[in-house]
Every structure is written in C-alpha cells, then in structure tokens.
Amino acid sequence: MLELQNIKGGYIVGNDILNGVDLSIHMGEAVGIIGLNGSGKSTLGKAIMNMLTYQSGELIFKNEIITKLKTNELSRKGLSFFLQGGQIFDDLSVWDNLLLSANGYISDITLIQEYFSLLRGNKNKFKNLGADKLSGGERHQLALAMCLLRKPSFLILDEPSAGLSPAMAKSLYEVLTILRKEQNLTILLIEQNIALAIDFCNKIYLLDRGKISRQFDKKDITEIEIALFKP
C-alpha cells in the first residue's frame, strides 16, 4: 500500500536525520516504529506527509508516486497524520475544530461520535466547549476524531500515548483497535511505549540513526529491549 524507497531528509540542508529509509507497508497492517529519542521516528512520519524542509527518495502510495505531492494533496489521497501531542486549534471550540477538519471531506460527525466519550451528547455542548479547556486525553480524542473525519485509508500515529495516563492510553488503543477492524485502516504507529506498540502492531521495526536497522516479531520483547538499550 505504501512504499518508502531510500528516504533521506531533515530540517536543515546538509544535516540528514533520515539516512535512507526503505519500508513497505501492506493494506490492513499495523506497523510499529520504535527507537530511542533522536532516532528520527517523528521525522519519518513527517517525511511521508512531505512536511520536511527537504528530502529525497521515492514515496509510492497505492501504486502511485506521491513524492512531490503537498501535504493537503496527500490528505485527499487518503493519508492522515496524528501529530504528537494531539494537535488541535486551542482558540476554537470543539465543534469548530471538527468542522474545520471535515471541510471538503464529510460533515456528519455522528459517523465517529460513538467512538469517543468526549463527542457524545448534544451538538450545542461542542459549540460551547473551548478546545483549550480539554484535558490531555480529551485533546487526543479530538485530534484523532479530526483525522478520522477525513476518511483516511492510511493513518500515521505519532506518539498517541504520550502524556496520557495508563488508563487513557489503554482506552485510546481500544478505540484504535475497533477502528482498524471496522474501517480496515492501515496504520503506521510511531511509539515510545514498547509494550503498547508490540500489543497493537503486526510488525515492529527499529529505527536507529535514521535507518531501519531491524525487524522484530511482536513476541520478541526481550530482544527489542536489548536492541534499544544496549550500551
């Protein structure tokens, strides 16, 4: 479904963070990317969405070369990106965040309301609730709902559990599991929480200094920990 061929790039010309990433992700898979801080995990997600200052290599999505497409054009193709921290517009209401995200896609939030406790209830509640008043878990719910309103077939999740309590992280992953099955979503998961990544994903890849250095079976918890934290 998505193929990365020798992807290099970063934020300052001449200072590559990605150093030649090759990766193939098939339809319906959940693929996990793990690695130490600074290994290039979040940069990889941004590279797929063409959000880097500069990059080279080839991106192929559903047999179409998308290397030169802009981020908004990639969204139209079916790719959606959950940015680390749950990126929303704090100066807007919850409802206006949803409307802004759904513009040009769909406008009926009832299609995703059932998945998120934040969005259950009367529409007027969302119109009067400022996004800046949300808790960390609610921000994540809203940001994910905004991604889903674009009806993606491929979802990139950058540290969805970051800043959440264990209970909130568990709840979020339960929703993701349901969505993956019901909507046949293909997911690239960038995650610091190794246990969550292993439990959720079909495949786990270790990113080391901007390159995929190893693939793990999801049961190889000990091997993953050794590979991550070896001296």
Side-chain angles (χ1 to χ4, degrees):
M1 187 179 196
L2 178 69
E3 186 172 355
L4 285 66
Q5 298 179 352
N6 196 32
I7 298 297
K8 300 179 181 179
Y11 307 96
I12 301 174
V13 175
N15 183 18
D16 288 345
I17 295 176
L18 302 176
N19 294 300
V21 175
D22 295 297
L23 183 64
S24 294
I25 301 172
H26 303 291
M27 185 176 294
E29 284 187 327
V31 172
I33 301 292
I34 61 173
L36 296 175
N37 289 334
S39 61
K41 301 187 303 298
S42 294
T43 304
L44 178 61
K46 292 176 181 177
I48 294 171
M49 297 301 294
N50 280 327
M51 296 170 68
L52 298 184
T53 304
Y54 77 100
Q55 70 186 71
S56 63
E58 203 85 293
L59 294 169
I60 302 170
F61 183 62
K62 295 181 179 179
N63 298 316
E64 176 185 353
I65 296 174
I66 60 170
T67 309
K68 301 298 183 183
L69 296 184
K70 297 178 181 179
T71 302
N72 65 324
E73 294 174 318
L74 294 173
S75 293
R76 301 287 179 186
K77 294 287 185 183
L79 292 98
S80 194
F81 189 19
F82 176 98
L83 288 161
Q84 186 174 349
Q87 299 298 306
I88 60 177
F89 298 98
D90 285 325
D91 55 338
L92 299 178
S93 69
V94 169
W95 178 255
D96 286 338
N97 268 274
L98 293 168
L99 286 185
L100 183 62
S101 184
N103 184 35
Y105 296 89
I106 60 174
S107 58
D108 186 2
I109 71 164
T110 59
L111 296 174
I112 52 95
Q113 267 185 305
E114 62 183 287
Y115 302 119
F116 303 103
S117 58
L118 170 68
L119 302 181
R120 294 180 189 142
N122 191 295
K123 183 172 70 175
N124 288 327
K125 179 183 74 171
F126 315 134
K127 288 184 175 181
N128 297 323
L129 178 61
D132 61 330
K133 302 297 192 296
L134 300 180
S135 68
E138 289 171 335
R139 289 179 68 91
H140 280 61
Q141 288 185 40
L142 177 57
L144 183 54
M146 291 165 67
C147 289
L148 295 171
L149 279 170
R150 299 167 191 162
K151 303 176 69 176
S153 56
F154 190 99
L155 180 60
I156 303 168
L157 299 166
D158 186 9
E159 303 281 7
S161 69
L164 298 184
S165 68
M168 286 301 305
K170 181 176 182 290
S171 176
L172 185 69
Y173 270 92
E174 287 173 351
V175 169
L176 288 170
T177 299
I178 293 170
L179 290 168
R180 184 183 164 203
K181 292 178 180 178
E182 290 187 355
Q183 300 186 19
N184 195 32
L185 273 175
T186 304
I187 293 176
L188 177 66
L189 174 66
I190 299 161
E191 181 61 89
Q192 276 289 104
N193 190 315
I194 300 171
L196 288 174
I198 291 171
D199 188 54
F200 184 74
C201 295
N202 305 110
K203 299 176 182 176
I204 304 288
Y205 291 94
L206 176 65
L207 192 66
D208 183 22
R209 287 170 286 189
K211 297 189 74 171
I212 300 290
S213 64
R214 191 169 173 185
Q215 177 184 343
F216 295 94
D217 183 273
K218 63 183 298 177
K219 296 179 182 179
D220 297 334
I221 299 177
T222 302
E223 288 188 33
I224 293 173
E225 291 176 340
I226 291 173
L228 271 174
F229 302 112
K230 66 183 178 182

